[in-house]
């Protein structure tokens, strides 16, 4: 059942996404981007709690699949970063460099980590002796730094990415590394499902893979303005890093072999994703799992009954809290109920519980869900069950809506010209037929003024029939293209 | 009741604390200090979990007292760091400086934050307009960086302190800032009580306060080698930072006033503190609240009964887990029970549960507490209650032992000579009479080759009778001295 028609107005959200988003970040107290270094921001208290809830979902998924959380240093000596040739070539112009300790020039320059493969590998080398020490599955949540030359955007393109989750694994065989890539992809799918974000999974073209990887699988979402945002990547690093860092191990039969490695990461964009996807002109709509406050209780005072509605509101807060629901009664007496509605709608609180004198008399409570603003009434005795059911329904509807949004923004097209027009209108992702050769792919990017996201990954293989839109040779696959952030 | 006599052997711990500690950090997989930059280390999986448990205790205390967690940037532009004159004078030679983005020299140098007052103040300036916006109470848990010229030591003196908890508060009046300092001290007391660490609270001498503070209150503990380790500080910053950063606010009667601020921090040393204080020659002894694994279940197989003891061990693990106890059955079949005992004793697991055939027959379990290695037997039906009671008793005993240790390492002395001898023997902290003048204090430090920790803070005022050990004038206070880390 579609609830599309029940959406709250989304005019500003869809017509001027950029300013809607910047506006929400400050007014809902998510991230203050006015810090005096370009591309550096401050996670404010409310935003920090959203961030923690989302990262906790990720931690739970990684812990449940045998990953161990660790913490590696922020600085990487230049000679380590340079060990893998492709890697340094891509990152050296993007690194911030530490050159002095006090007024003393350092003998070796240190990079602020742009990613941690080259910090982790020398330590793994110390830890791995034999096949019994493998696999190694680590992750950390840290700041990474990229001296971006493109225009920065709050959360979407920062120079300090303060919420980078990076996982790094090392394996005995190519097959295990391959299987790990699939596990990484599955973890990310579950993660985005949990936070009500829809995504395309694509194998990036060769010229767009991670520096030092054999291949890269990427997650992309479609923003309100039709542009596409990369929200996660999974890399098979083959033996490129293990050879560069000399990570070998003793096999059961006593030979020495180089190990295989993978890495996969999500950034602050994963935190922005549900905010972006489910916003409307009233503000944010947060999935209940993600929301710092799941139910806000607002007393509707009426002359002579003020104390009563406040009492009942307080008790309701306690009832909900003791059932593990993150609830808060807003008892501020310098704001009208209307002003409170406005305040909490902007902040995306999933459910508003209103307590007026009539609710008190009838032992009822009025519940309003944030995504549709639909009102329901429930008996006070049943309120915990009602709230739980409402949160579940809301989560399900939000997830469905996210996928509807994605489906309506991916179009299979027959010609370059059709693709060009759709991309010009910023209609999302187009899928074209491709012979699979780099040469034609690069020509396609140029002709479309767009980026190739790559070929569908992990979906049922459907035989492709037709011809490459560039060279006219028999098509080998479908390729996705979009205008990206 | 003292359990001092029941201690496990502590010969290596007490006679060669430095190597005991380095050894434990690697062999119990806490922190690997072999990262190729001096003073930078890697928090390994087991150490990371200890760190998380300890930091969670701190988060709970701060959240319960109205502090909001945030995340500020890692980099601070030089001109901001320089705004408070004392502050920059102290820190500029200790900062790592970022000078390049890629190969481009930056127009402004950035410091890796040595502490965050000067990153936070410019943002607070944007957030505070009137008295209604005050107080501001923030905290963050981040890496800080100090280019130390002293010899680095794993966890105790790092160049990257990867577990720095810093709180920053801003207030309308001097009285509120003063009260906040006391709240900060109370929070730290409760924190160290929770993790079974004993401490002295002292007001640091004027020449040893934080750069930019009006005064500094510090927490110190005594290490096995008799040297003293600072484990927390609370600063009253007066109006030094608010004036430098022009943080003023509108009072209820419409005037503009400068605000007042405080800051308080703990570092990775707070994570090391319980490890240091409760170690013995078998390894770590972790307070149950801090331990990643609270109960390790070890099957003691006996010919023909192997399957049975393993089954019961698994069930015990499940029983304990479902009661919220962090339990793990060690079912590795390539290790003897003795090797497992050794392994988990080193890692400080508070309780070992042994399951042998006789335990199975009697429906019993043998419990061994880590601090004393005492064995008790309990009925399987009562195991959850027994384990909980044992953990409580152990926590209480560990806390008592920590305070006994401290009491036996603080001595009131009558003369400089006596103090000098005790400090030479590394017997801990000495307390001397002092006239309170800087001149005499500095002479005392020189004569003792020690550091003055300062005067007792927050203890019942006892009138001091006697004369300053340096100048012979009437003493105003007691002052503590010690050889410090």
């Amino acid at each position: 059942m579609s609830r599309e028609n029940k959406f709250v107005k989304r005019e500003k959200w869809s017509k001027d996404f950029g300013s809607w988003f910047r506006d929400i970040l400050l007014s809902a107290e998510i991230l203050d981007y006015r810090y005096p270094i370009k591309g550096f921001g401050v996670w404010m208290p409310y935003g920090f709690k959203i961030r923690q809830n989302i990262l906790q979902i990720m931690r739970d998924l990684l812990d449940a699949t045998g990953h161990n959380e660790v913490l590696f240093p922020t600085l990487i000596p230049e000679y380590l970063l340079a060990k893998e040739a492709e890697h340094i070539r891509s990152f050296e112009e993007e690194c911030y460099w530490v050159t002095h300790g006090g007024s003393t020039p350092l003998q070796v320059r240190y990079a602020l980590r742009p990613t941690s493969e080259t910090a982790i590998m020398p330590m793994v080398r110390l830890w791995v002796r034999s096949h019994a020490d493998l696999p190694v599955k680590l992750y950390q949540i840290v700041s990474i730094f990229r001296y971006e030359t493109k225009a920065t955007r709050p959360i979407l393109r920062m120079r300090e990415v303060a919420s980078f989750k990076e996982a790094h694994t090392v394996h005995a065989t190519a097959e295990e590394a391959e299987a790990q890539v699939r596990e990484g992809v599955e973890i990310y799918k579950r993660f985005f499902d949990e936070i009500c974000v829809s995504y395309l999974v694509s194998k990036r073209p060769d010229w767009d893979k991670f520096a030092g990887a054999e291949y890269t699988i990427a997650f992309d979402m479609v923003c309100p303005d039709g542009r596409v945002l990369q929200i996660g990547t999974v890399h098979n690093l083959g033996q490129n890093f293990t050879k560069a860092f000399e990570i070998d191990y003793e096999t059961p039969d006593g030979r020495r072999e180089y190990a295989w490695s993978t890495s996969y990461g999500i950034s602050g964009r994963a935190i922005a994703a549900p905010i972006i996807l489910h916003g409307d002109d009233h503000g944010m709509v947060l999935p209940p799992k993600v929301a710092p406050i799941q139910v806000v209780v607002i007393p509707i005072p009426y002359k002579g009954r003020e104390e009563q509605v406040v009492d009942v509101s307080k008790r309701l807060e306690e009832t909900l809290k003791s059932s593990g629901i993150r609830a808060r009664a807003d008892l501020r007496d310098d704001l009208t109920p209307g002003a409170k509605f406005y305040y909490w709608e902007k902040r995306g609180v999933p459910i508003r519980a209103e307590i007026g004198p009539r609710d008190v008399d009838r032992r009822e409570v009025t519940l309003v869900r944030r995504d549709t603003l639909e009102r329901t009434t429930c008996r006070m005795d049943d309120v915990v069950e009602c709230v739980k059911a409402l949160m579940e329904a809301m989560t399900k509807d939000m997830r469905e809506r996210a996928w509807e949004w994605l489906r309506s923004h991916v179009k299979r097209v027959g010609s370059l010209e059709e693709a060009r027009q759709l991309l010009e209108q910023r209609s999302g992702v187009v899928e074209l037929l491709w012979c699979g050769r780099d040469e034609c792919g690069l020509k396609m990017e140029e002709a479309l003024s767009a980026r190739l996201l790559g070929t569908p990954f992990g979906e049922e293989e459907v035989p492709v029939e037709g011809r490459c839109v560039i060279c006219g040779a028999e098509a080998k696959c479908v390729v996705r293209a979009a205008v990206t952030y």
Side-chain angles (χ1 to χ4, degrees), chain A:
Chain A
M1 183 193 63
S2 162
R3 290 181 166 277
E4 197 70 34
N5 54 339
K6 291 190 183 160
F7 259 134
V8 175
K9 209 165 85 174
R10 299 180 106 181
E11 227 173 83
K12 185 164 184 213
W13 177 84
S14 62
K15 290 206 181 121
D16 192 2
F17 163 63
S19 82
W20 176 92
F21 187 58
R22 276 192 305 278
D23 198 47
I24 276 293
L25 288 180
L26 277 192
S27 65
E29 297 172 16
I30 308 297
L31 180 115
D32 195 329
Y33 44 80
R34 295 171 296 175
Y35 189 75
I37 306 180
K38 194 175 115 127
F40 287 66
V42 177
W43 283 91
M44 299 171 82
Y46 193 70
F48 190 87
K49 288 192 182 83
I50 295 171
R51 175 183 178 278
Q52 285 303 81
N53 290 343
I54 290 178
L55 292 178
Q56 191 57 49
I57 292 169
M58 179 52 83
R59 284 189 160 106
D60 290 344
L61 287 167
L62 290 169
D63 292 347
T65 45
H67 295 73
N68 286 307
E69 191 165 0
V70 291
L71 193 52
F72 275 74
T74 307
L75 302 184
I76 304 176
E78 184 170 18
Y79 66 87
L80 283 184
L81 200 69
K83 280 211 170 193
E84 210 288 330
E86 287 294 323
H87 196 69
I88 184 70
R89 205 171 303 143
S90 160
F91 282 116
E92 76 186 331
E93 274 302 309
E94 273 196 11
C95 281
Y96 283 99
W97 293 101
V98 176
T99 59
H100 286 73
S103 50
T104 313
L106 299 170
Q107 287 184 316
V108 176
R109 297 200 305 172
Y110 303 138
L112 297 188
R113 65 178 153 230
T115 173
S116 298
E117 282 78 4
T118 58
I120 286 174
M121 287 298 163
M123 301 309 290
V124 169
R125 182 165 191 259
L126 298 174
W127 300 338
V128 170
R129 294 265 157 264
S130 89
H131 62 97
D133 300 321
L134 295 172
V136 173
K137 293 167 77 173
L138 306 173
Y139 75 99
Q140 61 179 3
I141 298 173
V142 295
S143 278
I144 56 164
F145 303 84
R146 309 238 170 125
Y147 184 67
E148 292 280 356
T149 47
K150 294 188 197 169
T152 61
R153 284 169 186 274
I155 304 191
L156 305 189
R157 189 176 301 282
M158 301 291 276
R159 289 182 168 180
E160 174 174 19
V161 178
S163 314
F164 192 62
K165 189 287 300 167
E166 48 178 335
H168 298 270
T169 72
V170 183
H171 305 270
T173 67
E175 293 68 36
E176 285 174 43
E178 191 72 30
Q180 192 57 45
V181 165
R182 287 193 301 272
E183 183 181 270
V185 169
E186 279 313 306
I187 288 169
Y188 285 3
K189 281 183 176 177
R190 269 179 281 161
F191 169 69
F192 287 117
D193 288 345
E194 287 277 318
I195 61 175
C196 301
V197 168
S198 52
Y199 47 81
L200 291 170
V201 188
S202 308
K203 184 173 179 181
R204 285 278 185 263
D206 231 37
W207 62 88
D208 198 21
K209 66 188 183 189
F210 178 73
E214 292 292 312
Y215 62 85
T216 290
I217 311 298
F219 284 68
D220 296 297
M221 64 172 262
V222 179
C223 290
D225 58 2
R227 288 172 75 171
V228 159
L229 187 67
Q230 173 178 304
I231 49 177
T233 48
V234 181
H235 315 295
N236 190 330
L237 306 176
Q239 294 185 310
N240 298 331
F241 285 88
T242 57
K243 284 187 175 166
F245 285 87
E246 298 176 304
I247 298 180
D248 58 2
Y249 69 95
E250 193 178 296
T251 63
D253 56 354
R255 288 172 301 112
R256 296 209 71 84
E257 292 271 14
Y258 283 111
W260 303 75
S261 74
T262 83
S263 67
Y264 29 109
I266 57 154
S267 72
R269 288 177 169 191
I271 299 163
I275 296 174
I276 290 172
L277 214 46
H278 294 285
D280 62 30
D281 289 357
H282 293 221
M284 294 196 292
V285 180
L286 293 175
K289 271 218 173 166
V290 165
I293 298 168
Q294 296 172 315
V295 180
V296 62
V297 182
I298 298 185
I300 317 288
Y302 200 80
K303 232 176 135 181
R305 307 285 300 272
E306 291 89 346
E307 224 173 291
Q308 221 179 9
V309 296
V310 165
D311 276 357
V312 173
S313 297
K314 279 186 196 166
R315 258 183 289 146
L316 178 54
E317 181 192 42
E318 282 316 307
T319 305
L320 294 170
K321 273 186 177 169
S322 64
S323 301
I325 295 162
R326 297 189 287 270
R328 183 189 300 177
D330 184 350
L331 305 177
R332 289 177 290 180
D333 51 15
D334 56 342
L335 287 183
T336 63
K340 292 178 187 176
F341 294 177
Y342 175 84
Y343 182 91
W344 293 111
E345 281 176 9
K346 188 181 283 290
R347 282 163 181 75
V349 174
I351 295 173
R352 176 170 80 224
E354 301 176 6
I355 303 282
R358 194 157 54 169
D359 298 299
V360 173
D361 294 339
R362 295 184 178 171
R363 294 190 49 75
E364 286 180 353
V365 51
T366 303
L367 301 177
V368 184
R369 58 187 271 185
R370 173 62 184 86
D371 58 338
T372 59
L373 298 181
E374 284 171 305
R375 305 170 72 84
T376 50
T377 302
C378 96
R379 284 163 19 101
M380 197 51 109
D381 290 342
D382 305 332
V383 69
V384 169
E385 290 67 36
C386 284
V387 162
K388 285 187 177 168
L390 205 50
M391 290 203 297
E392 227 168 87
M394 192 171 151
T395 303
K396 189 165 160 286
D397 290 347
M398 287 179 74
R399 198 173 290 140
E400 266 174 33
R401 250 184 250 127
W403 284 101
E404 270 177 37
W405 166 264
L406 183 70
R407 276 192 295 272
S408 67
H409 286 83
V410 178
K411 293 204 182 66
R412 181 71 68 98
V413 297
S415 72
L416 258 190
E417 182 50 28
E418 195 184 344
R420 220 185 40 74
Q421 281 180 15
L422 284 169
L423 291 173
E424 241 180 39
Q425 297 157 21
R426 297 282 186 272
S427 81
V429 178
V430 295
E431 295 185 334
L432 306 113
L433 292 180
W434 182 32
C435 62
R437 291 184 308 140
D438 285 6
E439 196 191 329
C440 283
L442 291 165
K443 276 189 190 157
M444 222 184 293
E445 289 196 334
E446 208 184 312
L448 297 173
S449 305
R451 192 172 148 197
L452 289 202
L453 305 178
T455 53
F457 178 84
E459 295 174 17
E460 232 176 302
E461 290 258 351
V462 180
V464 171
E465 270 180 51
R467 311 210 150 265
C468 173
V469 293
I470 297 292
C471 69
E474 200 178 332
K476 287 228 177 84
C477 53
V478 162
V479 69
R480 292 165 176 157
V483 177
T484 60
Y485 269 102

